[in-house]
Amino acid sequence: AAGVIQSPRHLIKEKRETATLKCYPIPRHDTVYWYQQGPGQDPQFLISFYEKMQSDKGSIPDRFSAQQFSDYHSELNMSSLELGDSALYFCASSSRHSEAFFGQGTRLTVV
Amino acid sequence: QQQVKQSPQSLIVQKGGIPIINCAYENTAFDYFPWYQQFPGKGPALLIAIRPDVSEKKEGRFTISFNKSAKQFSLHIMDSQPGDSATYFCAASGGPGGYQKVTFGTGTKLQVIP
């Protein structure tokens, strides 16, 4: 069965650079969620999109932005990267009234 | 404020033992309670889940017990194996219109010793 696909799997950036993470949801899933997981931490909700519109917002820094495109894939754009942005970034997708499934994540390292 | 509280933070059991992880929630709008298993560097994988109209659910060696009035639920792993060593997150989701944002507990790092 198709799963949530995230790319890239690993990314190394320097401070103050920009990074773009991509998420491809399970087919027919209309909602995408982004999470950030620091070392030894639980995943923290960043933002979600339903039918290409932002539906909820969590602890997402102003330096980050995201959008969902017409094919339902989503991109998380992160600018002015800081060392503290180093983390695993997960995307999940769901349809209404079905459980969310997570991708394998993107490991971002800021040096 | 942690909406889903989880304990213990870490757990060590012998092979064949029955680790128990407990969680509690506040928001009565939650209507779906999944457990995720996460290995280092991997995404959380759905292990088992329960809805509030059921008090217990078993899948293989994994059992969820749910107490709606106490707003508590727990995971039992029967006959635990070294391969079960991972971090386990309880979670809760649900909201208006079937919104499924997952709110995680703080995680329990389980180590099963051979």
Side-chain angles (χ1 to χ4, degrees):
Chain A
V4 178
I5 306 296
Q6 289 189 246
S7 68
R9 292 294 311 277
H10 303 275
L11 191 58
I12 301 175
K13 290 285 186 178
E14 295 187 355
K15 283 195 309 182
R16 293 180 288 279
E17 282 194 318
T18 297
T20 298
L21 279 54
K22 297 184 179 182
C23 171
Y24 298 87
I26 291 172
R28 291 179 293 282
H29 280 189
D30 50 24
T31 307
V32 168
Y33 315 80
W34 285 96
Y35 290 80
Q36 177 191 57
Q37 186 178 27
Q41 304 293 315
D42 54 295
Q44 294 295 313
F45 172 72
L46 293 178
I47 195 167
S48 65
F49 292 86
Y50 169 64
E51 286 291 346
K52 292 151 280 184
M53 299 288 289
Q54 180 181 310
S55 56
D56 194 5
K57 193 172 181 180
S59 51
I60 184 169
D62 292 341
R63 299 177 290 107
F64 295 6
S65 65
Q67 58 181 323
Q68 186 178 32
F69 295 85
S70 58
D71 63 352
Y72 294 97
H73 94 272
S74 179
E75 295 184 3
L76 177 66
N77 296 291
M78 310 159 68
S79 63
S80 302
L81 287 169
E82 302 173 356
L83 295 177
D85 295 329
S86 296
L88 278 167
Y89 290 84
F90 294 107
C91 166
S93 74
S94 75
S95 59
R96 292 280 135 163
H97 305 288
S98 84
E99 63 265 35
F101 291 89
F102 284 81
Q104 286 299 304
T106 294
R107 179 177 292 281
L108 172 66
T109 302
V110 182
V111 297
Chain B
Q1 183 184 1
Q2 190 71 30
Q3 289 197 56
V4 180
K5 297 180 180 179
Q6 183 172 350
S7 64
Q9 187 174 1
S10 62
L11 194 51
I12 301 174
V13 299
Q14 296 275 357
K15 177 183 174 182
I18 306 176
I20 300 173
I21 304 171
N22 299 299
C23 288
Y25 64 98
E26 296 291 330
N27 188 348
T28 55
F30 290 142
D31 61 3
Y32 182 72
F33 300 88
W35 285 86
Y36 292 91
Q37 180 188 56
Q38 186 177 33
F39 293 102
K42 303 293 187 182
L46 180 63
L47 190 63
I48 185 174
I50 197 168
R51 294 198 181 271
D53 54 345
V54 176
S55 60
E56 185 175 278
K57 183 174 181 180
K58 291 183 181 180
E59 285 187 4
R61 296 184 292 108
F62 301 93
T63 299
I64 300 178
S65 298
F66 191 88
N67 185 330
K68 186 176 180 178
S69 61
K71 293 188 286 185
Q72 295 176 347
F73 56 112
S74 60
L75 176 70
H76 295 60
I77 305 175
M78 310 301 289
D79 187 28
S80 59
Q81 302 295 313
D84 296 330
S85 298
T87 299
Y88 293 81
F89 291 98
C90 63
S93 68
Y99 183 51
Q100 297 298 327
K101 180 181 79 175
V102 177
T103 299
F104 288 87
T106 48
T108 296
K109 188 171 184 178
L110 171 66
Q111 185 178 357
V112 181
I113 300 172

